[in-house]
Amino acid sequence: TTFDVTCSKVQTDLGTGVLVCFEDVTHLEKAGQMRRDFVANVSHELRTPLTALMGFIETLQGPAKGDPAATERFLGIMAGEAARMERLVQDLLSLSRVEADERVRPTEPLDLGALLKSVVHSIRPLAEEASVEIAMTLPEEGVTIPADDDQVRQVFTNLIENAIKYGGADKTVHVTLRTQDHAPSLRGPGAVVEVRDEGPGIDAIHIPRLTERFYRVDSHRSREMGGTGLGLAIVKHIVSRHRGRLRIESEPGQGSTFRVILPRLPQT
Ligand code: ADP
């Protein structure tokens, strides 16, 4: 614990005294440390592709100059590194945008079933490329939530993309929407979306840390798959802005379930 201590001389009915104030500033210390860690992480994440890019540029200007096969190959790798930097910058912008308006609650009614269908439709080509099936189960009735359309779209895009990436080939990703008349964690009507994969699962010690920025179970694997390590941090902030809850359940060998519970508008 860190205290700020201030002393001042005071005059009271009983005479002159000294007033000593102890202010607990542990939270400020912590916030400062988190900011410093974040900047260090961002610099590291940007520097890795940048170093690779600079190395290839040097090679193309020197030893590989005029070699069409090497040029073609290196340009391909350079395009991949540049795309990685672009994804990182995009995710950083999303995160800062979500944090900036976290206290302003979204109010626009959104048809959650229609949104999920549209997200799955856009992700299908990626799933096909990875030989992954997406099975969707929606209730018959419409489910409306107060929401920011783009942000909710990002939540389910990130979760389904992760399920495809980490779930593995020749498996199925299950996307299910159901309603709860009384969601205990929300103390009111809820919409529950589950994204379940049949992958290797996640060890329990990692689960509480998955939504931290840049936390990865296997950073090499995540990077190889184009991950920035920010996807679940963005999900957590968006869900929290919508007054929702994110639950992660997983057991090694049993796949993982990412459950998002959002407040629902009364049926009209
Ligand atoms: P990344 O860009 O690395 O995918 P995320 O924030 O989306 O970053 O996820 C953080 C980490 O959580 C990943 O690096 C991965 O180790 C783990 N993870 C996320 N989703 C899954 C999943 N469906 N199955 C197994 N591990 C997962």
Side-chain angles (χ1 to χ4, degrees):
T1 312
T2 312
F3 286 106
D4 249 3
V5 186
T6 47
C7 299
S8 44
K9 205 164 128 188
V10 285
Q11 201 69 44
T12 70
D13 297 344
L14 302 169
T16 308
V18 178
L19 179 71
V20 183
C21 290
F22 290 87
E23 193 189 347
D24 182 352
V25 290
T26 318
H27 61 292
L28 293 179
E29 266 298 283
K30 260 199 198 137
Q33 186 58 46
M34 277 171 72
R35 230 186 335 265
R36 285 190 291 277
D37 288 351
F38 180 62
V39 172
N41 274 326
V42 171
S43 313
H44 174 77
E45 297 288 334
L46 281 172
R47 195 166 333 133
T48 314
L50 202 53
T51 308
L53 277 175
M54 285 162 70
F56 284 115
I57 290 171
E58 234 170 70
T59 314
L60 285 175
Q61 284 172 330
K65 199 169 182 172
D67 177 342
T71 305
E72 174 95 17
R73 193 161 72 83
F74 292 161
L75 282 177
I77 304 174
M78 288 164 76
E81 294 295 332
R84 182 138 92 88
M85 289 179 78
E86 195 196 17
R87 267 195 307 275
L88 183 62
V89 171
Q90 248 164 22
D91 277 359
L92 285 168
L93 280 176
S94 300
L95 194 57
S96 94
R97 227 176 281 135
V98 180
E99 279 181 338
D101 55 19
E102 197 156 9
R103 274 168 233 290
V104 188
R105 303 292 176 189
T107 51
E108 280 296 301
L110 170 76
D111 177 343
L112 191 52
L115 179 121
L116 288 172
K117 272 192 206 160
S118 147
V119 169
V120 168
H121 180 76
S122 342
I123 294 184
R124 270 240 152 81
L126 182 84
E128 273 165 23
E129 208 179 297
S131 306
V132 172
E133 280 278 328
I134 305 182
M136 190 158 52
T137 312
L138 301 178
E140 274 179 13
E141 78 270 22
V143 180
T144 313
I145 59 166
D148 177 321
D149 184 309
D150 288 343
Q151 289 191 346
V152 174
R153 186 174 290 274
Q154 182 155 24
V155 165
F156 296 111
T157 303
N158 288 2
L159 293 180
I160 299 171
E161 279 185 3
N162 275 353
I164 294 171
K165 273 195 311 192
Y166 299 106
D170 303 319
K171 299 276 169 58
T172 303
V173 169
H174 304 264
V175 180
T176 313
L177 168 63
R178 61 191 160 84
T179 56
Q180 265 184 333
D181 287 338
H182 184 85
S185 56
L186 306 179
R187 301 211 185 100
V192 184
V193 183
E194 279 178 2
V195 177
R196 179 165 66 85
D197 65 60
E198 300 170 343
I202 308 161
D203 214 79
I205 54 158
H206 297 293
I207 293 180
R209 300 197 59 192
L210 291 184
T211 55
E212 285 175 22
R213 297 153 179 190
F214 298 115
Y215 188 86
R216 293 137 158 153
V217 174
D218 178 346
S219 52
H220 179 72
R221 183 147 181 254
S222 151
R223 286 208 184 88
E224 226 168 43
M225 293 201 241
T228 62
L230 294 174
L232 290 179
I234 295 172
V235 166
K236 183 182 113 173
H237 281 283
I238 296 178
V239 170
S240 135
R241 181 180 175 220
H242 286 74
R243 289 185 200 274
R245 302 281 183 272
L246 171 69
R247 304 268 183 260
I248 306 172
E249 280 165 21
S250 185
E251 251 180 76
Q254 302 290 316
S256 311
T257 302
F258 288 74
R259 183 176 305 121
V260 177
I261 308 155
L262 293 163
R264 182 165 54 94
L265 290 175
Q267 212 80 28
T268 45

